[in-house]
Amino acid sequence: MKKWISLAALATVVVATASGCGSNGNNGADSNNGAAAANNSASANNSASSNNAAASNSSNSTKSDPVELTFWGDWGGEGQKQFETMVDAFNKSQDKIRVKYVLQQDMITKFLTAATSGGSPDILFWDRWRTSLYAPKNVLHPVDEFMAKDGLNKDDFYGEALKELSYQDKLYGLPLTVDARALFYNKKILADAGINTPPTTWDELEQDAIKTTKWNGNKLEVAGFSLGDNGLFNMYLQQAGGHMLSDDGTKTNFNNDQGKAVLEYWDRLLNKDKVYKVGFEQGLGEGTDAFVTGKLAMQYTGPWMLSTYKKYGKDLDFGIAPPPAGPNGDKGSVMGGFGLVIPEGSKHQAEAWEFIKWWTANKDNALLWAKTSLNIPGYKPALEDPFFKDDPFWKPFLDTLEFAKIRPAHPGYSVMEGDALIPNLQLFQQSKQSLDDTLKKAQTRGDQLLTDNAEVK
Amino acid sequence: MASIGKLNQHQARTAYLFITPTMLLFLAFTIIPVVMALYLSFTNYDVVSRMDFVKLDNYKRLWHDSLFWQTFKNVCYYAVIFIPLNILISLLLALLLNFKRFGVKLFRTMNYLPTLTSAVAAATVWIWLLHPEFGLINNLLSYVGIVGPAWLAQTETAMFSIIMVTLWQSVGSNMVIYIAGLQGVPDYLYESAKLDGATAFARFRYITWPQLRPTTFLVSTMSIIGALQLFDQAFVLTQGGPGNVTKTPVYLIYQQGFNQLQMGYASAQAFILAVAILIFSLINMRISKSEESIV
């Protein structure tokens, strides 16, 4: 009897875990379908009722009700307010289209189920690097025809950002924001160390970092330069004159002299000059941020930190400079940012395009967006404004964006970086692995992951 | 005779009626998803555009996926240290707090409290405590002249830190289970043992421990499952780093399924994980059965 009971208990436990795992790999099949179905019926009701209203109205009078558009994004809080400011401005500017912003915390997962089962939104706030993974699956609508019809000039946008929104010569949206990392430096710490201008080369950066680092016995009190983010390897590699992927975009391309130069530089900074300590910044959030509390003299970060750092006013006197150039004078930074795209499942693609065009391809609106959200818009004419041109904080970013490159558009790129490259770089930084081994292992494993994740059709 | 049969029949019908809602839910949310996941593990399902049968391709790819096997090594290392410590500490706590003394309930509550906190919130606080320069732990160590490591950032200590944090969070609930088990041990066994002159240790060894066998079996089985499915703490504390030493199978499954949209491959990984859990649980059952029988 006892045996029977324990067997039964074991069986239930195993089934329960299997279903736990099962639902992980099986999201489309159950729980989310329910949510999507609910969404579906809700939006179906909406469109049905608005259609009805439109139909009855048009029989009565010639003036029709506005088209209702749904705009999905995953920015809440401040971001949501910024989006709503733009949406309201658009709704006020005309009376044919009404846009509504809907906050979706788990946007991508929701979008996946919506894309397959209807109920798709009309406009999607889009992290651009995802394009290479999603566009081949035909869930996004190309905008080339709209572009041609309205005579928009592609040169008005950052070319790299458009490239990131493209797949096989088709463009899938327009860039809303562009960003790139630049060098943030604490003016006071640098001045105390007798440095008046920020570094412009790797050697200067190294010397300045040495001068600003302060150790108290075994305790690091002020780190000269942050080496906490191994994910910036891409940026350093560009500065060393290299590229992450081979020219055909299928293989890694860092197990060479350029990759070696980056790792030797890191090794010097970390283990010989000791300007940083592994784990120094880990877990320090806003308020305890090492740069804010004066425990870090220089770091690479992006415009998204500006509003946080500006809050501290006089307590944090900082400056920004374009990233220092590598040994052969090469400059490099990685461009990222968001765009707006139209899902293939949208029933009002033309109207959705009107909204996207109004927001991203109009100088005044792009500028309104920039001032509301403190982001750099992807539309270049808006950057001519004094708001950007004359601001010492924006200028270095605009300079950096001139040479910044996007991440390679390979659907397996982020996995390659996260699972093959960064773990090996971490082992190298902690002297657990030689330089040659690190690059070789990262290359072998990286090539494998690129191949495994290449097929997306 | 016939009327008794009729009554039984009627009772049986009512019983089925009563369990139907539960069974339907179980079918819809457990059985069907498991079967679906098994089927999907033989396809290249990507949620949006395709679901073709690819036979054993996913499992073949899995066989050569060195990272997947490394995550198994990671959780095995975790399990080997976590499970015995978990049983030992929660049993000791239970023995300590099983006495009927003034204030003992307060201590039970305090030991149980960490279980009530959300895993993610607790892990976030632990990140601060474990900070190499400004964290409480290393500050305390510095008073006795020890320079503490960068707990979460160094390959040697990262997994150890996760073990400690998860232990802190899980011993409370296991302690409660053990206290319940201890209170189920009949007093006459202890009385007669005392009359025969058994020492406290002998009483524990020959009465308490064997009597607690079903409890230990439950606690160890749950620990095995929890260990193999480790995710939140590892995700928040170290994001699988440094150098992949704290990456776990569930982390990979999540990434493969939701970031790379390879649900078919992710389902295959999930099934291998389920099989692994089954195997380890069976081993655990065999071990617990091979001990001497309950008095």
Side-chain angles (χ1 to χ4, degrees):
Chain A
M1 191 61 194
K2 276 243 159 66
K3 186 181 160 199
W4 187 86
I5 288 176
S6 58
L7 257 179
L10 189 57
T12 26
V13 155
V14 166
V15 167
T17 48
S19 70
C21 308
S23 61
N24 260 344
N26 194 16
N27 118 79
D30 42 63
S31 58
N32 277 352
N33 253 357
N39 272 349
N40 255 350
S41 60
S43 62
N45 279 344
N46 270 345
S47 62
S49 62
S50 67
N51 279 349
N52 280 346
S56 63
N57 254 6
S58 60
S59 63
N60 291 339
S61 65
T62 45
K63 200 185 167 207
S64 62
D65 268 7
V67 178
E68 305 260 347
L69 296 187
T70 318
F71 166 37
W72 278 12
D74 50 8
W75 278 10
E78 283 295 310
Q80 180 168 6
K81 275 184 213 148
Q82 294 157 6
F83 281 161
E84 278 163 357
T85 309
M86 295 310 291
V87 166
D88 288 345
F90 175 73
N91 288 344
K92 278 198 196 103
S93 72
Q94 41 73 45
D95 55 7
K96 292 193 176 61
I97 306 167
R98 282 275 161 280
V99 180
K100 195 177 162 231
Y101 176 63
V102 180
L103 170 65
Q104 298 283 7
Q105 292 291 6
D106 201 2
M107 185 177 75
I108 290 298
T109 321
K110 287 241 175 71
F111 170 60
L112 285 178
T113 40
T116 43
S117 54
S120 166
D122 302 293
I123 306 122
L124 209 55
F125 178 61
W126 191 247
D127 207 346
R128 284 200 297 266
W129 65 269
R130 292 183 192 275
T131 312
S132 61
L133 182 58
Y134 287 81
K137 296 183 191 295
N138 295 323
V139 293
L140 303 179
H141 188 72
V143 298
D144 301 275
E145 283 178 21
F146 295 128
M147 287 283 283
K149 201 184 78 203
D150 289 334
L152 291 188
N153 184 359
K154 284 192 180 180
D155 294 337
D156 283 343
F157 300 92
Y158 278 100
E160 287 286 307
L162 288 187
K163 211 162 98 191
E164 204 170 21
L165 281 164
S166 305
Y167 173 75
Q168 289 187 345
D169 299 330
K170 278 190 184 152
L171 181 64
Y172 285 90
L174 288 179
L176 186 63
T177 71
V178 287
D179 59 55
R181 283 186 170 80
L183 187 76
F184 281 57
Y185 58 95
N186 187 314
K187 282 186 179 165
K188 190 173 171 296
I189 299 181
L190 261 67
D192 288 349
I195 305 160
N196 297 317
T197 50
T200 55
T201 64
W202 277 15
D203 287 334
E204 287 177 22
L205 178 63
E206 186 183 356
Q207 291 311 317
D208 292 355
I210 294 173
K211 283 182 206 156
T212 47
T213 304
K214 282 195 197 92
W215 285 84
N216 177 7
N218 276 320
K219 203 170 149 79
L220 179 59
E221 287 190 331
V222 177
F225 178 60
S226 170
L227 289 164
D229 189 354
N230 292 305
L232 300 184
F233 180 82
N234 183 354
M235 186 171 169
Y236 288 88
L237 190 68
Q238 288 178 36
Q239 294 165 358
H243 299 282
M244 288 299 280
L245 299 190
S246 56
D247 289 337
D248 62 354
T250 56
K251 290 261 178 294
T252 62
N253 188 26
F254 43 69
N255 187 7
N256 49 27
D257 287 344
Q258 286 87 4
K260 219 179 235 176
V262 174
L263 291 197
E264 278 165 357
Y265 186 56
W266 283 9
D267 188 44
R268 248 191 356 259
L269 287 172
L270 191 66
N271 296 324
K272 198 174 129 271
D273 305 332
K274 293 193 187 296
V275 302
Y276 191 75
K277 188 175 173 183
V278 169
F280 185 68
E281 286 164 283
Q282 196 164 26
L284 296 179
E286 204 190 315
T288 50
D289 184 298
F291 190 66
V292 171
T293 48
K295 295 187 171 87
L296 180 63
M298 294 180 281
Q299 67 167 338
Y300 280 137
T301 188
W304 53 86
M305 289 310 285
L306 272 180
S307 55
T308 308
Y309 290 160
K310 277 182 174 172
K311 261 197 324 214
Y312 294 92
K314 282 195 197 111
D315 295 335
L316 177 64
D317 186 14
F318 70 103
I320 303 168
N328 300 317
D330 290 297
K331 293 175 173 179
S333 188
V334 178
M335 184 192 281
F338 297 90
L340 293 176
V341 296
I342 308 173
E344 196 59 86
S346 160
K347 293 184 190 69
H348 305 286
Q349 285 162 349
E351 287 84 358
W353 168 254
E354 287 302 320
F355 176 60
I356 293 178
K357 191 178 70 177
W358 176 89
W359 189 348
T360 62
N362 174 303
K363 196 179 161 187
D364 296 333
N365 301 329
L367 201 61
L368 172 65
W369 161 242
K371 287 175 179 168
T372 312
S373 70
L374 295 184
N375 271 297
I376 306 173
Y379 190 61
K380 283 182 173 174
L383 304 177
E384 304 295 330
D385 192 87
F387 177 75
F388 285 109
K389 275 280 175 230
D390 301 342
D391 190 310
F393 288 121
W394 289 120
K395 184 76 173 57
F397 284 117
L398 297 185
D399 294 346
T400 305
L401 282 168
E402 288 305 312
F403 54 78
K405 295 265 183 296
I406 54 164
R407 298 172 192 88
H410 186 292
Y413 178 78
S414 66
V415 183
M416 183 280 287
E417 237 188 24
D419 285 352
L421 181 61
I422 292 176
N424 280 305
L425 293 178
Q426 285 169 332
L427 292 177
F428 171 75
Q429 280 198 330
Q430 303 191 18
S431 310
K432 293 276 147 40
Q433 199 166 266
S434 76
L435 195 156
D436 293 330
D437 277 357
T438 302
L439 289 176
K440 195 157 172 299
K441 279 188 188 163
Q443 181 199 14
T444 321
R445 181 81 195 129
D447 287 346
Q448 174 71 40
L449 284 172
L450 286 178
T451 317
D452 282 349
N453 292 288
E455 191 205 343
V456 283
K457 257 268 155 67
Chain B
M1 214 44 200
S3 67
I4 291 174
K6 224 177 203 169
L7 182 68
N8 276 345
Q9 237 177 25
H10 176 72
Q11 276 186 336
R13 257 207 306 269
T14 321
Y16 280 123
L17 193 68
F18 277 134
I19 63 169
T20 304
T22 318
M23 290 316 284
L24 279 180
L25 287 175
F26 183 63
L27 190 75
F29 291 105
T30 306
I31 306 286
I32 293 176
V34 169
V35 174
M36 276 295 284
L38 180 63
Y39 173 71
L40 289 178
S41 73
F42 296 102
T43 69
N44 62 1
Y45 183 54
D46 74 343
V47 191
V48 273
S49 62
R50 61 179 188 198
M51 194 163 109
D52 310 318
F53 198 72
V54 295
K55 287 179 282 187
L56 288 172
D57 282 7
N58 286 331
Y59 289 93
K60 272 182 209 151
R61 178 178 157 194
L62 215 153
W63 183 248
H64 298 289
D65 192 341
S66 59
L67 183 59
F68 184 62
W69 299 114
Q70 197 196 332
T71 61
F72 263 101
K73 256 188 254 164
N74 293 343
V75 287
C76 283
Y77 170 71
Y78 172 85
V80 164
I81 300 186
F82 174 79
I83 297 170
L85 276 181
N86 190 17
I87 293 176
L88 187 73
I89 296 175
S90 39
L91 180 58
L92 285 178
L93 276 177
L95 287 171
L96 201 65
L97 298 175
N98 193 32
F99 297 110
K100 288 190 180 65
R101 292 270 162 75
F102 178 73
V104 81
K105 280 190 178 148
L106 180 72
F107 285 103
R108 279 187 202 164
T109 314
M110 277 160 62
N111 275 294
Y112 187 71
L113 270 182
T115 310
L116 297 176
T117 58
S118 126
V120 175
T124 312
V125 174
W126 274 100
I127 293 181
W128 295 336
L129 295 178
L130 292 168
H131 188 272
E133 305 297 317
F134 320 113
L136 179 71
I137 309 251
N138 278 3
N139 268 334
L140 291 179
L141 285 179
S142 72
Y143 287 130
V144 286
I146 301 172
V147 178
W151 293 97
L152 296 169
Q154 274 173 237
T155 47
E156 302 90 350
T157 51
M159 191 51 110
F160 179 74
S161 310
I162 291 179
I163 291 172
M164 289 304 140
V165 172
T166 45
L167 264 183
W168 168 79
Q169 205 162 23
S170 66
V171 289
S173 59
N174 291 326
M175 172 200 75
V176 171
I177 297 175
Y178 265 123
I179 289 180
L182 283 173
Q183 296 187 340
V185 182
D187 281 338
Y188 67 83
L189 292 176
Y190 291 116
E191 273 170 36
S192 40
K194 269 186 202 159
L195 285 177
D196 289 343
T199 60
F201 179 76
R203 289 200 298 274
F204 173 79
R205 172 69 187 83
Y206 294 104
I207 300 173
T208 316
W209 180 245
Q211 285 283 326
L212 283 177
R213 235 184 58 200
T215 318
T216 307
F217 176 67
L218 175 72
V219 170
S220 56
T221 309
M222 298 309 278
S223 304
I224 288 173
I225 294 166
L228 288 171
Q229 292 192 339
L230 179 69
F231 176 69
D232 351 22
Q233 287 94 346
F235 183 73
V236 179
L237 287 170
T238 60
Q239 293 85 42
N244 281 339
V245 296
T246 60
K247 210 162 259 180
T248 70
V250 178
Y251 184 96
L252 266 197
I253 292 168
Y254 173 79
Q255 175 180 297
Q256 209 68 45
F258 290 97
N259 291 348
Q260 288 307 110
L261 302 184
Q262 299 184 348
M263 287 292 174
Y265 187 53
S267 300
Q269 291 180 324
F271 253 86
I272 297 296
L273 177 61
V275 169
I277 291 175
L278 179 67
I279 292 173
F280 283 110
S281 304
L282 283 174
I283 293 174
N284 182 34
M285 211 166 106
R286 185 55 61 83
I287 292 171
S288 116
K289 209 194 303 181
S290 68
E291 282 183 22
E292 78 269 47
S293 60
I294 301 171
V295 190

